[in-house]
Amino acid sequence: MRTLSHLRRLKTTLVPEFHSWCKLQAPNAAGKQLPRIYVTRRIPPDGMKILSQSGLCSIEQWDSDEPVPRSELLAKVAGIRGLYCLLTEKIDAEVLDAAGPSLQVVSTMSVGYDHVSLEELKKRGIRLGYTPDVLTEAVAELTVALLLATSRRLLEAVHEAKNGGWGTWKPLWMCGYGLTDSTVGILGLGRIGAAVTARLKPFGVKRFLYADTGPRPDMATKIPAEFVPLEELARHSDFIVVCCALTPETQGICGNGLFSLMKDTAIFINTSRGGVVNQEDLYQALVNGQIAAAGLDVTEPEPLPTDHPLFKLKNCVILPHIASATVATRNAMAALAASNLLAGLQGKAMGKEVPL
């Protein structure tokens, strides 16, 4: 009886596994070699499910929450047809040379693609997929949360409550700055910038300004927001929210030139890329009272060393790049990146492709 029961359990376990193995091996049995892809990190399940169930590729993965070591990446990409990467991987000539001429598509699980050399991809005829739109709402929510936490001094208040600083009620204690009747300046009025304004509007913001490479009437009219030079935005804004992409033109754009024009009561928020801010200039602006406070979800480098001077300031709130960190959003990003990669392998139109 024990033997019979044991055999039944083995049948229940092994038969489905055998059927799954047969399905995976079927293309090879027909003499077809599946194209190899490399996934540079452990990714949300929706993305991995799309890749593994497609039957279109052979998957190798760096199965860790930590970034793949550079040496490992260079070794594993040799001969692959598709590369699924994150913004932590620098995809440059060295990586593309290591991959060789077989590589036809790179898909990044990010809306930004400043970590990828577009020039090198174009030179080699390699396509690039990315994941805009699906993270817009989550990033906008976090941006507003960071703005409120910074302007209303929430982290300071929590610290005081926990550590005995909460005494009797005091009229001037823990006072911050509110959004009602304020002017909000948006640096970079794209999808995320517009979504941020939509969430701030119900707080009673009086005026929205924006600075960009040029007027964006398609988005600005709906808000409404006024297009102004960056200098004017700095002078008039009570809150400045940075939502622009990192490009050669925006690298370090938020430095002393900007901070020196801002109100000493102004709040500076960045959820775009760390590279758009000169952090030394920001530190000096905060220490010297040029601006009231800053909230950062992105830094340069990432992670920011724990002994960095910005961490020592009460008027600087720093988050570990979590703007898109909702379960639904990260799964959507993973799924879109997977679908983009599979489309690229098949020579089909991607859901979201960077024009090169």
Side-chain angles (χ1 to χ4, degrees):
M1 290 296 291
R2 284 183 183 176
T3 303
L4 184 59
S5 175
H6 182 63
L7 287 173
R8 283 174 180 158
R9 283 199 300 272
L10 281 174
K11 181 180 178 182
T12 302
T13 304
L14 294 177
V15 170
E17 290 184 3
F18 177 75
H19 287 162
S20 298
W21 180 85
C22 288
K23 287 178 184 177
L24 289 171
Q25 295 301 313
N28 292 334
K32 180 182 176 183
Q33 186 70 38
L34 291 175
R36 288 177 52 237
I37 71 165
Y38 187 66
V39 181
T40 64
R41 192 82 67 87
R42 185 179 298 150
I43 61 173
D46 286 10
M48 208 63 203
K49 184 177 180 181
I50 288 171
L51 293 175
S52 60
Q53 293 185 357
S54 69
L56 296 172
C57 55
S58 171
I59 305 164
E60 189 164 1
Q61 179 184 29
W62 177 252
D63 191 18
S64 170
D65 288 329
E66 299 303 319
V68 58
R70 183 74 173 182
S71 59
E72 179 80 3
L73 176 63
L74 293 172
K76 293 297 186 181
V77 296
I80 62 170
R81 295 266 296 279
L83 176 61
Y84 186 121
C85 68
L86 278 65
L87 53 80
T88 46
E89 283 77 60
K90 186 178 181 183
I91 309 304
D92 55 10
E94 184 182 30
V95 171
L96 300 177
D97 286 343
S102 61
L103 183 61
Q104 60 189 87
V105 57
V106 173
S107 183
T108 181
M109 189 184 135
S110 61
V111 64
Y113 43 84
D114 47 277
H115 57 296
V116 181
S117 174
L118 303 187
E119 183 181 346
E120 293 294 335
L121 290 187
K122 186 175 182 179
K123 190 190 302 182
R124 294 166 168 80
I126 299 169
R127 298 169 67 190
L128 175 62
Y130 71 134
T131 60
D133 299 332
V134 294
L135 50 67
T136 298
E137 309 305 322
V139 174
E141 287 176 4
L142 190 281
T143 302
V144 173
L146 179 57
L147 184 152
L148 291 171
T150 304
S151 64
R152 295 299 303 272
R153 304 172 64 180
L154 299 189
L155 271 65
E156 280 186 79
V158 169
H159 176 80
E160 293 295 318
K162 285 182 175 180
N163 293 280
W166 183 6
T168 59
W169 185 86
K170 307 177 189 73
L172 302 178
W173 188 59
M174 283 292 134
C175 290
Y177 298 95
L179 283 160
T180 304
D181 292 327
S182 68
T183 296
V184 173
I186 305 291
L187 177 51
L189 190 66
R191 292 176 297 266
I192 293 171
V196 169
T197 65
R199 283 157 177 76
L200 291 178
K201 208 171 184 179
F203 285 92
V205 174
K206 181 169 65 177
R207 187 185 182 201
F208 286 104
L209 307 176
Y210 76 99
D212 212 317
T213 52
R216 302 290 300 272
D218 52 328
M219 291 188 175
T221 304
K222 299 172 187 175
I223 296 169
E226 180 184 350
F227 176 68
V228 295
L230 182 57
E231 294 78 11
E232 187 174 338
L233 181 138
R235 289 190 186 97
H236 294 288
S237 297
D238 299 300
F239 300 85
I240 290 182
V241 181
V242 183
C243 301
C244 63
L246 178 60
T247 66
E249 293 72 32
T250 61
Q251 180 81 40
I253 194 172
C254 300
N256 183 58
L258 178 77
F259 301 132
S260 63
L261 296 174
M262 290 171 63
K263 301 177 182 180
D264 60 10
T265 56
I267 308 295
F268 177 81
I269 303 295
N270 183 23
T271 55
S272 61
R273 284 289 185 270
V276 304
V277 178
N278 182 317
Q279 289 174 177
E280 175 58 32
D281 287 354
L282 176 60
Y283 175 79
Q284 293 300 328
L286 291 167
V287 168
N288 297 326
Q290 280 185 312
I291 64 174
L296 310 173
D297 183 52
V298 287
T299 60
E300 184 67 37
E302 292 184 359
L304 194 65
T306 55
D307 61 352
H308 194 282
L310 285 172
F311 276 125
K312 296 177 172 60
L313 301 181
K314 290 183 177 181
N315 58 342
C316 187
V317 177
I318 301 175
L319 302 179
H321 201 152
I322 58 167
S324 65
T326 70
V327 173
T329 297
R330 291 287 171 83
N331 267 303
M333 291 171 68
L336 178 54
S339 297
N340 285 340
L341 187 139
L342 294 176
L345 288 178
Q346 299 174 86
K348 297 179 179 179
M350 293 185 191
K352 295 292 178 180
E353 182 170 1
V354 178
L356 299 176

